[in-house]
Amino acid sequence: MRATMSQDDLKNMFNLTGKVAVVTGGSGGAGKAISIGLALYGADVVVTSRTLSTLEETAAEVEKLGRKALPVSCDVMEQESVNNMMKKTIDEFGKIDIMVTAAGIALRSPAEEMSIEDFQKVMKANVDGTLMCCQVAAKEMIKAGNGGNIITVGSIRGFQGHPAGYSAYGTSKGAVHLLTKQLAVEWAKHNIRVNSIAPCIFWTPLTEPILSDEEMYKVFMQRIPIGRPAEPEDLVGAVLYLSTPASSMVTGHILSIDGGTSAW
Ligand SMILES: NC(=O)c1ccc[n+]([C@@H]2O[C@H](COP(=O)([O-])OP(=O)(O)OC[C@H]3O[C@@H](n4cnc5c(N)ncnc54)[C@H](O)[C@@H]3O)[C@@H](O)[C@H]2O)c1
């Protein structure tokens, strides 16, 4: 069977008008930039993270662009909370087209001192949290029968070790990458594409202490040929690509946004 695109389809391939996106971690550096980016191209956005008040800024930016924003409090470590987030999405918009799982945490310490509690907490937030959000989104997409796009947030740390204490975080992101491939293969028959972005370090309030430390900055820049950390906005084009027919034959892909790190 052929799935050809007309010139109009090609011209409008990034148009998200009428689409509903859910972005977890919507108050964070990445989640905020991605929410605004999706709204700029026409999507209504459900912005979620644990504390409702932290979502006000992102929601206001989305609405300023003339799109609808629904801020929803959701702890991705809790199944009931994730179910409730999806119920609110469906109650408000009747569907979900795009899920971006940008919620995540990083706890770093030397590998020999990494406590099992911290290790499990990172795995729970980053891996269990990603799986649960993908599951509730996919169930609605399957029910509606119109396909959909899921974009998980991995990391360059999911490919490579790093001296700065990433035993929990790196392991969790490696798991996110493989989970992404597994979901892509299982859900392709429902026309649900599942892809991941794998950024190198980018500026957020949380990475500012690392990147403001001259020595640490040097350590991180040693492996980024482009010679700078990423910005949250550097993730937007990749998410847009993976959310639209621009990537209609792409699924199970881990798209590095790393200034050439993985090419080294
Ligand atoms: N900042 C970087 O350098 C970098 C690099 C590669 C990948 N990432 C990944 O990008 C994603 C976004 O990170 P960021 O840098 O924007 O961080 P951030 O700390 O600015 O944002 C993280 C977001 O996740 C939310 N969150 C954390 N735990 C949660 C939970 N249990 N339930 C719901 N929400 C929760 C936070 O409230 C926040 O909105 C994360 O998955 C992170 O691992 C970040």
Side-chain angles (χ1 to χ4, degrees):
M1 196 173 57
R2 304 283 299 266
T4 50
M5 283 197 239
S6 68
Q7 285 192 353
D8 274 349
D9 292 337
L10 292 171
K11 199 170 161 195
N12 293 317
M13 58 169 44
F14 291 106
N15 188 348
L16 291 175
T17 306
K19 301 291 182 190
V20 175
V22 174
V23 180
T24 72
S27 63
K32 187 175 175 202
I34 290 166
S35 299
I36 294 168
L38 292 170
L40 271 168
Y41 283 81
D44 295 324
V45 187
V46 180
V47 285
T48 90
S49 81
R50 278 165 304 184
T51 314
L52 205 53
S53 57
T54 62
L55 295 165
E56 279 167 12
E57 215 178 291
T58 311
E61 292 280 343
V62 168
E63 279 173 353
K64 235 193 271 171
L65 296 167
R67 312 318 327 173
K68 286 188 197 142
L70 178 68
V72 175
S73 153
C74 169
D75 184 344
V76 300
M77 292 162 91
E78 301 296 332
Q79 182 74 65
E80 210 181 312
S81 185
V82 172
N83 293 347
N84 185 48
M85 172 266 287
M86 191 46 58
K87 183 177 181 310
K88 285 191 169 154
T89 301
I90 300 302
D91 286 350
E92 178 71 18
F93 294 109
K95 65 166 184 170
I96 169 173
D97 300 295
I98 299 158
M99 164 63 84
V100 184
T101 61
I105 58 171
L107 300 174
R108 290 184 299 122
S109 50
E112 67 279 14
E113 281 159 26
M114 173 60 70
S115 73
I116 200 68
E117 290 77 19
D118 280 359
F119 187 88
Q120 287 174 343
K121 193 171 174 197
V122 172
M123 294 298 282
K124 189 165 184 195
N126 296 359
V127 186
D128 300 20
T130 298
L131 173 64
M132 288 193 280
C133 291
C134 292
Q135 284 176 319
V136 292
K139 277 184 189 164
E140 290 302 329
M141 291 170 180
I142 292 168
K143 219 190 301 170
N146 296 319
N149 288 307
I150 297 176
I151 296 96
T152 63
V153 178
S155 168
I156 199 69
R157 299 277 71 79
F159 293 126
Q160 300 168 334
H162 193 281
Y166 283 103
S167 55
Y169 183 78
T171 305
S172 76
K173 292 300 183 176
V176 167
H177 294 174
L178 197 62
L179 176 64
T180 302
K181 294 183 185 193
Q182 181 62 34
L183 300 181
V185 171
E186 290 200 40
W187 293 340
K189 63 177 179 286
H190 300 294
N191 196 23
I192 298 170
R193 295 189 294 111
V194 191
N195 290 289
S196 191
I197 55 170
C200 63
I201 193 162
F202 57 87
W203 288 98
T204 70
L206 279 192
T207 57
E208 192 142 3
I210 303 178
L211 292 171
S212 303
D213 177 317
E214 222 173 287
E215 280 313 302
M216 284 295 259
Y217 188 91
K218 266 193 229 153
V219 170
F220 276 88
M221 288 319 108
Q222 269 167 13
R223 292 293 302 272
I224 304 181
I226 272 187
R228 66 167 177 89
E231 297 290 341
E233 288 72 22
D234 286 319
L235 314 188
V236 172
V239 171
L240 204 62
Y241 166 67
L242 295 173
S243 303
T244 61
S247 60
S248 55
M249 270 301 274
V250 180
T251 195
H253 184 65
I254 317 299
L255 178 50
S256 297
I257 306 170
D258 64 1
T261 305
S262 49
W264 189 300

